[in-house]
Amino acid sequence: MAHASPEEVKAAAEDPGAIILDVRTKEEVAEASLTSRPFKHCSCTLEDCSELMSKAEEYMPDKNAPVIVFCRSGRRAGKAKEMLEAKGYTKVLNAGGLTGLDYL
C-alpha cells in the first residue's frame, strides 16, 4: 500500500473537518501517541477491522471529510483505508507510521 506524501497529509490536516485516526492497538497507543494534534483511536488489524467498521460512522460522520489514518508502519492503516473506502469514505489517506509523522 502506498502512503500519502507528507504534503498530501499536511494539506488534508488543514481541513477543519479532518479526522486523524490511529488504528494501532490500545497497548501501542499507551506506549506512544501522536501529541501534535487530537486523534481518534480504533483498532484495526490486517485480519480484523470490525471495531473500526462498527465505530466508523460515530467517529467520522462526514464521509467526504479527510480521514488521515496511521498505525506503526502503514500496513494496518492501508487495510483501514481499504475498509473505509469500501464503506463510502471518499478522502482517506494512509499516512504511514507514527514515527514518520513528525511533520504533522
Side-chain angles (χ1 to χ4, degrees), residues 23 41-60 76 79-80 83-84 87:
V23 295
H41 171 257
C42 202
S43 294
C44 178
T45 68
L46 297 177
E47 298 79 30
D48 180 17
C49 285
S50 59
E51 180 183 348
L52 174 61
M53 291 297 92
S54 70
K55 293 184 178 178
E57 291 175 4
E58 173 189 343
Y59 284 2
M60 301 159 293
R76 289 173 286 176
K79 177 68 173 184
M83 300 299 286
L84 289 170
K87 201 166 177 79

Side-chain angles (χ1 to χ4, degrees), residues 1 6 8 13 24 34 36 54 56-57 60 62-63 75 81 90 97 102-103:
M1 297 267 141
E8 291 171 310
R24 298 174 304 143
L34 184 67
S36 59
S54 70
E57 291 175 4
M60 301 159 293
D62 182 354
K63 292 187 176 185
R75 290 183 66 212
K81 179 181 186 298
T90 61
D102 54 349
Y103 60 85

Side-chain angles (χ1 to χ4, degrees), residues 19-32:
I19 300 290
I20 299 175
L21 181 65
D22 184 346
V23 295
R24 298 174 304 143
T25 65
K26 290 177 182 155
E27 294 78 18
E28 288 173 304
V29 173
E31 289 174 16

